[in-house]
Amino acid sequence: YQRRVHGACCCGLSDNKTPAPLSRIMMEHESGCGSCAEIPPAKRARSDAPVEFAPETRFPDAYYIDSPTTKLTPEQVAALGVVYFEIDADHYEEQGKLDKICTERGYNYRDFCDSREIDLPSKLPIFFREHIHDDEEIRLFMEGSGFFDVRPVDQDRWVRIDMKKNDMIILPAGIYHRFNPDEKMFFRVMRLFCGDPVWTPFNRDEAETESRPARVRYVQAFLNPSPASA
């Protein structure tokens, strides 16, 4: 392993070219192992990459923020391009499931972000600003909890996904989203990426964001009927 300190918030909002002093985060870049070494840094993970596992036994609660009683099924969340896996956070190395996902989807970078090691209250405005990324956003909750909010492409309303320990979420490139800690204000997450990590956010209130290739591709792929009707 190559190990180095790399600073960023849970949602990866700092510029990877300038490590920010937000926390002591350990990067594990598997540049010397088997199939990961063969993946070019420029290659990006695909949302439709096949991963053969039995259906998950559970799925995080997902609902409209403006109508919390309107629950979304796992199929409705998947229709937004969001992918979910349940991983044993305490025994993920022995379980082997995470390694298989990483191999099949091309994730050869991982690090950790712990809310106890950052000034979390001061970072909340950054976390909460609606944005997209040019690549997938992958988070595995090792401890704690929090919410990922995503916006369906055909609706100007939020879907909230309630994340807890053992939950792994993959947000597709180009989806508008934000992260919000819950009342416990505690999370420790593993972040994964394909190639060299790029955490750059493109905020919704910036004129050029809607025309970014990642956003255009997402809109084209997921401009479908709404996932649920309130």
Side-chain angles (χ1 to χ4, degrees):
Y1 294 107
Q2 296 178 352
R3 299 179 182 272
R4 65 188 178 194
V5 173
H6 201 286
C9 68
C10 175
C11 205
L13 301 185
S14 69
D15 186 346
N16 73 303
K17 295 180 181 178
T18 307
L22 301 181
S23 66
R24 178 176 49 81
I25 302 174
M26 186 64 69
M27 168 182 173
E28 298 182 359
H29 191 177
E30 300 170 302
S31 59
C33 64
S35 59
C36 288
E38 299 171 1
I39 300 171
K43 180 181 177 182
R44 299 306 181 196
R46 295 173 48 202
S47 297
D48 59 350
V51 181
E52 297 179 0
F53 292 113
E56 302 297 344
T57 58
R58 61 171 300 277
F59 193 88
D61 287 338
Y63 53 89
Y64 286 111
I65 291 179
D66 61 5
S67 180
T69 59
T70 305
K71 306 290 186 179
L72 277 68
T73 66
E75 293 76 18
Q76 290 169 333
V77 176
L80 305 178
V82 176
V83 178
Y84 171 80
F85 294 104
E86 184 177 12
I87 304 291
D88 186 339
D90 292 330
H91 305 97
Y92 67 91
E93 292 180 330
E94 299 95 321
Q95 184 185 35
K97 183 176 180 179
L98 179 62
D99 285 343
K100 183 174 181 181
I101 294 170
C102 289
T103 297
E104 295 195 5
R105 297 183 71 90
Y107 305 148
N108 62 337
Y109 170 98
R110 65 181 63 171
D111 67 15
F112 298 88
C113 182
D114 191 322
S115 63
R116 295 166 294 190
E117 299 180 357
I118 65 177
D119 181 5
L120 185 56
S122 71
K123 302 303 175 186
L124 292 181
I126 302 174
F127 284 13
F128 213 60
R129 191 174 182 184
E130 184 177 359
H131 62 280
I132 67 171
H133 297 293
D134 284 343
D135 301 279
E136 292 179 337
E137 179 163 326
I138 310 104
R139 301 291 182 268
L140 167 59
F141 277 70
M142 311 299 291
E143 300 177 80
S145 51
F147 303 111
F148 272 103
D149 299 335
V150 299
R151 194 183 294 278
V153 71
D154 59 339
Q155 300 178 68
D156 195 23
R157 62 195 304 204
W158 285 112
V159 170
R160 171 156 287 182
I161 304 173
D162 188 356
M163 302 292 292
K164 295 180 174 60
K165 181 178 178 179
N166 301 327
D167 290 338
M168 177 176 173
I169 192 170
I170 303 172
L171 302 181
I175 190 172
Y176 282 120
H177 66 281
R178 62 189 182 186
F179 176 74
N180 189 27
D182 60 19
E183 68 279 0
K184 301 181 184 69
M185 296 287 282
F186 167 61
F187 56 84
R188 180 173 178 267
V189 299
M190 179 190 294
R191 306 181 305 174
L192 300 105
F193 203 84
C194 178
D196 293 330
V198 179
W199 308 124
T200 307
F202 300 97
N203 300 310
R204 191 185 186 193
D205 56 9
E206 297 169 350
E208 64 274 14
T209 298
E210 194 66 23
S211 62
R212 292 197 65 80
R215 178 62 183 171
V216 172
R217 287 192 295 269
Y218 178 78
V219 171
Q220 291 173 344
F222 296 101
L223 183 55
N224 295 316
S226 59
S229 58

